[in-house]
Amino acid sequence: MTEVQKAFIAKVEVALRELGAEIDAFDQKRQLSVWDITLNREGHLWPLRLVTVGWNIDELPAVYWRKPSPIWGWPHVSSSGDVCVSDREGLEYDPEDVSGVIEWILQESTRLLANSCAMAEHDRKFAFADELEGYLRNDGSSSAILDEKLDKAKSLYAEVAFIRRGVSGPITPKVCRVNQGNTKLSACHQERLGILDVTIHQIDGLLSEWGSDWWEAFLSRLQPAQRDIVIAPKNRGVVLRVPNSFGHSLLLLYWGLRQAKKRSTYLLERQDHEYLVQRTGGEPIMRHVIVAGCGSIGSRVAEHLALAGVNKITLVDKDKFSPDNLGRHVLGRQSVSKPKVDELATLLKERMPGVQIEARATNLQTVLANGELAGADAIVLATGNSTLERSIARRAFREKWPSLIVSTSVEAAGLGGHAIAMRSDTPGCLDCLYIDPDTQQSLPNMRTTLIAPGQKVTRQLTGCGAFTPYSALDATRTAVLAAERVLTNIPLYSRWAGEAVLAKAEGIQPSATYEALRTQRIASDVIPSEFAQPRCPCCSV
């Protein structure tokens, strides 16, 4: 043992004795230092185990409640006795203050244990119900996929694979997925399951594996109607819905075709749309958004909207994905030479299960001619064709579409990007930005562009096929603005101005608007009334 190791052990033991802890044993295993202690706190004698990693406290030490059998039904305590004093993420402390950290972690551990001890058993188990899934995961429970919202009115099945352990070992079943009639895993056997609502008290003592003793005790706590579901001859397992403060925990008790001595508890890994959106802190957004133009900006707008919870997105783009776009698009090499909308639809369905994606591999004029745009809640125009987008905005204002229309574009070389959100009942539109406010004359370019006029910014690498140089980061920043405009559903002109390192390196001159944005002399968000023009051929008609 090195002098550094000896010094650390001495520091910890001095801290423990100063706190009145009795050191029962010390052990050192590889990089773990383990102290078994007994701590007297307000009349409670707590047998604890303090574990540090390495020979410092750069990683917060763990505290275990030492008991001879798995601990069940105590909030903030795992089956192995690990007392969860914090989530161990984002906690700030001084790693040099060994004594202070040891004091805090032991005080917090005994406080949590004492609070739970003071609760009535009934109330303590109710509090424990909120942590049931995490408890079983820490105990070693396997997981099975549940990628649709559970419906008690539908039949339930397990997709089971049979796996051989070793070359000549036994074949054991493993539940891979739970479904309600739509199988996905071809190599799996389909087995019937029951669905049962139970309380936390009825599953007292449940662990990742259970045998006949626990099973008989569980059956004895069920009502007759509940027991009938569990022991139904066709069922090979039962999904339990256990209420908690957040809704329900979903557990699968699986016994299969043959009753083994030890049977398994599975956690159902929910992947339905509503649950995944709630995990982001939001709720599903029941709106239909059309994204026209699925290049580097439009594809990211669609991605952000899908992840934000928008339930229906239509993608419109006639192009196939080119390898030239790999450096700034969300799609990868597997999508080269395939329709952008089809590949993007597949990606988004994987990213956010349950979202409705319609892929239209056609040009925007076809969709416009069919009158499909007017029925959407929002339309994102990311075509790169300002003439087409101004024409669509004029038609929307003329025909009074209820849709929010967002025109979005990125400037070259990191200069910035724009997202103009407009609605037919609010003056202030894309055309307004092409009108000189002093003369009311039409301009050839958007007057708020971030590049000084008269410059060529397109580039060529192959002798043909000019392109505008901008990065994936530029596309992302612009797409975020456009997605925010859709989600807030309020007409507003938003823009950003970047550091423009590439523009400066290539001698591209920024406009006065760019300089004003960078120095914050003008706002990045502009309400429609501030840029609306009285002679606008679109919104003033």
Side-chain angles (χ1 to χ4, degrees):
M1 187 176 292
T2 67
E3 293 303 315
V4 171
Q5 294 169 343
K6 290 177 182 178
F8 176 71
I9 292 171
K11 274 186 181 180
V12 174
E13 293 189 352
V14 167
L16 290 173
R17 291 190 177 99
E18 287 178 348
L19 292 170
E22 181 180 337
I23 301 176
D24 303 319
F26 171 75
D27 192 12
Q28 187 248 319
K29 302 175 181 178
R30 296 182 181 178
Q31 290 297 308
L32 297 180
S33 298
V34 181
W35 287 266
D36 284 353
I37 64 173
T38 301
L39 197 58
N40 190 331
R41 283 289 183 271
E42 299 179 359
H44 290 285
L45 278 177
W46 297 110
L48 303 176
R49 175 168 292 154
L50 177 71
V51 180
T52 64
V53 179
W55 305 102
N56 52 56
I57 54 170
D58 292 349
E59 185 174 323
L60 192 69
V63 176
Y64 292 81
W65 182 14
R66 288 187 287 137
K67 295 192 79 173
S69 58
I71 297 167
W72 197 92
W74 285 70
H76 310 297
V77 181
S78 73
S79 59
S80 63
D82 187 3
V83 183
C84 183
V85 296
S86 76
D87 60 11
R88 295 184 174 89
E89 293 182 15
L91 183 68
E92 294 186 3
Y93 62 92
D94 181 2
E96 300 297 322
D97 184 13
V98 174
S99 177
V101 171
I102 297 297
E103 179 181 7
W104 176 82
I105 198 169
L106 289 177
Q107 285 181 345
E108 189 67 10
S109 299
T110 52
R111 182 189 66 82
L112 289 172
L113 292 173
N115 285 349
S116 296
C117 190
M119 299 170 71
E121 182 181 6
H122 187 273
D123 296 333
R124 186 170 66 240
K125 288 181 179 177
F126 264 129
F128 172 70
D130 292 345
E131 304 171 15
L132 180 59
E133 291 185 59
Y135 175 91
L136 291 170
R137 184 175 290 108
N138 289 331
D139 190 52
S141 290
S142 297
S143 298
I145 296 170
L146 177 65
D147 50 15
E148 55 189 335
K149 189 174 181 179
L150 193 64
D151 186 346
K152 288 187 64 179
K154 295 181 179 179
S155 298
L156 195 63
Y157 302 90
E159 294 176 55
V160 183
F162 293 91
I163 302 169
R164 184 183 296 278
R165 296 182 179 177
V167 178
S168 58
I171 296 176
T172 58
K174 175 179 172 56
V175 179
C176 299
R177 180 174 177 264
V178 172
N179 70 76
Q180 299 203 270
N182 59 333
T183 58
K184 284 189 178 179
L185 308 177
S186 57
C188 289
H189 179 69
Q190 186 97 324
E191 297 182 8
R192 184 70 176 263
L193 302 174
I195 307 177
L196 186 64
D197 286 303
V198 294
T199 67
I200 188 68
H201 308 283
Q202 289 178 304
I203 60 169
D204 190 66
L206 177 63
L207 296 172
S208 59
E209 288 188 335
W210 41 275
S212 57
D213 289 344
W214 181 87
W215 179 249
E216 292 301 325
F218 168 63
L219 291 178
S220 71
R221 291 189 288 264
L222 299 180
Q223 299 296 322
Q226 292 176 307
R227 193 179 300 114
D228 289 344
I229 294 173
V230 172
I231 64 175
K234 291 184 179 180
N235 288 342
R236 300 292 178 255
V238 61
V239 169
L240 305 180
R241 298 195 335 148
V242 187
N244 56 32
S245 301
F246 314 106
H248 292 87
S249 294
L250 294 180
L251 317 173
L252 168 61
L253 304 183
Y254 176 74
W255 52 85
L257 295 170
R258 298 176 182 175
Q259 294 274 358
K261 288 184 179 180
K262 286 289 186 180
R263 285 150 276 175
S264 300
T265 303
Y266 285 84
L267 300 172
L268 296 191
E269 296 286 2
R270 284 165 278 188
Q271 298 177 14
D272 65 272
H273 188 257
E274 181 177 333
Y275 175 77
L276 293 175
V277 173
Q278 288 174 342
R279 288 281 296 175
T280 70
E283 294 289 339
I285 301 169
M286 309 306 289
R287 296 174 66 197
H288 177 203
V289 180
I290 295 175
V291 178
C294 295
S296 54
I297 301 173
S299 63
R300 284 181 169 84
V301 173
E303 177 187 37
H304 291 308
L305 294 178
L307 295 179
V310 172
N311 75 310
K312 184 178 180 181
I313 300 172
T314 297
L315 307 172
V316 181
D317 196 312
K318 66 180 178 61
D319 293 338
K320 293 183 178 181
F321 185 59
S322 166
D324 290 343
N325 294 325
L326 283 169
R328 61 190 187 192
H329 204 281
V330 299
L331 295 177
R333 291 176 62 185
Q334 73 281 356
S335 299
V336 169
S337 299
K338 299 176 183 176
K340 284 182 184 178
V341 289
D342 293 340
E343 294 297 293
L344 184 57
T346 299
L347 174 65
L348 296 182
K349 289 174 184 177
E350 286 294 314
R351 294 291 308 280
M352 178 56 78
V355 64
Q356 301 176 52
I357 304 290
E358 181 183 3
R360 299 293 307 278
T362 185
N363 58 45
L364 184 55
Q365 290 89 334
T366 300
V367 177
L368 182 63
N370 293 338
E372 297 174 58
L373 293 182
D377 296 297
I379 304 161
V380 177
L381 302 174
T383 65
N385 185 336
S386 59
T387 302
L388 173 62
E389 293 183 8
R390 290 167 68 185
S391 176
I392 291 172
R394 289 182 184 185
R395 179 169 173 178
F397 275 80
R398 184 171 63 250
E399 298 178 1
K400 300 194 180 303
W401 295 358
S403 316
L404 183 78
I405 300 172
V406 181
S407 172
T408 184
S409 59
V410 67
E411 301 254 10
L415 283 166
H418 310 263
I420 302 103
M422 49 201 144
R423 188 179 282 116
S424 63
D425 60 359
T426 304
C429 69
L430 180 59
D431 256 331
C432 289
L433 297 174
Y434 286 81
I435 296 174
D436 187 313
D438 296 324
T439 66
Q440 292 295 298
Q441 297 299 308
S442 179
L443 299 171
N445 301 106
M446 193 163 71
R447 58 184 165 85
T448 55
T449 184
L450 304 178
I451 182 171
Q455 300 178 85
K456 181 181 178 181
V457 296
T458 57
R459 297 289 181 267
Q460 291 178 321
L461 295 179
T462 59
C464 62
F467 65 93
T468 301
Y470 62 87
S471 69
L473 181 60
D474 298 337
T476 300
R477 291 183 68 175
T478 305
V480 167
L481 285 185
E484 286 175 341
R485 299 283 59 81
V486 173
L487 295 173
T488 56
N489 200 29
I490 297 172
L492 188 71
Y493 173 21
S494 296
R495 53 206 172 165
W496 67 274
E499 295 183 7
V501 175
L502 178 60
K504 294 172 184 176
E506 296 197 0
I508 298 174
Q509 295 300 311
S511 69
T513 300
Y514 170 85
E515 300 293 355
L517 273 175
R518 288 295 292 177
T519 56
Q520 299 182 347
R521 286 183 284 115
I522 60 174
S524 57
D525 290 337
V526 187
I527 60 176
S529 61
E530 292 181 354
F531 67 88
Q533 298 301 309
R535 296 184 187 175
C536 176
C538 174
C539 64
S540 66
V541 175

